[in-house]
Amino acid sequence: MGSRFSIPAVGKALKSNENTVASYLNFLCDSYICVDVRNFSYSLKETSRSQHKCYFIDNGLVSANVFRYSPQSGSALENLVYNELRNCLLYKSDAAD
């Protein structure tokens, strides 16, 4: 959480295929456990080559499973700010409709 990563690097670290890692990331995003954020660019090629960054929807789920091994209050705060900004933008767009 909070760190940029590339799918090939994660696949290599886990000794797995990068297609498998991409599939798992898509499953997590489709089940609303996390959101995959990439750098914005008008070039589709640059966007597809940019690194990934995941933000988890539920801070409690992350803190129960991850932070007991290594406390990272900065990452938790960044995740909280992302979720609050995302919620504000979602509510604002719903109110405009």
Side-chain angles (χ1 to χ4, degrees):
M1 178 172 82
S3 298
R4 294 180 186 190
F5 64 93
S6 68
I7 290 181
V10 173
K12 188 181 246 186
L14 296 175
K15 297 179 182 160
S16 179
N17 187 350
E18 52 187 86
N19 291 334
T20 305
V21 173
S23 294
Y24 282 134
L25 180 60
N26 287 332
F27 291 142
L28 289 172
C29 292
D30 289 344
S31 61
Y32 299 105
I33 292 175
C34 70
V35 177
D36 183 27
V37 179
R38 300 179 80 165
N39 291 341
F40 173 77
S41 175
Y42 288 108
S43 169
L44 184 61
K45 190 175 187 180
E46 280 186 34
T47 302
S48 66
R49 280 194 266 160
S50 67
Q51 291 186 331
H52 299 258
K53 190 166 190 175
C54 283
Y55 291 100
F56 289 88
I57 301 298
D58 186 7
N59 276 347
L61 180 67
V62 175
S63 65
N65 292 309
V66 175
F67 294 145
R68 89 178 105 167
Y69 301 111
S70 63
Q72 300 174 352
S73 57
S75 295
L77 181 63
E78 180 183 357
N79 201 59
L80 176 70
V81 169
Y82 173 81
N83 283 326
E84 288 298 317
L85 289 173
R86 185 171 175 266
N87 288 338
C88 288
L89 291 174
L90 287 175
Y91 289 135
K92 190 179 277 189
S93 67
D94 286 344
D97 293 339

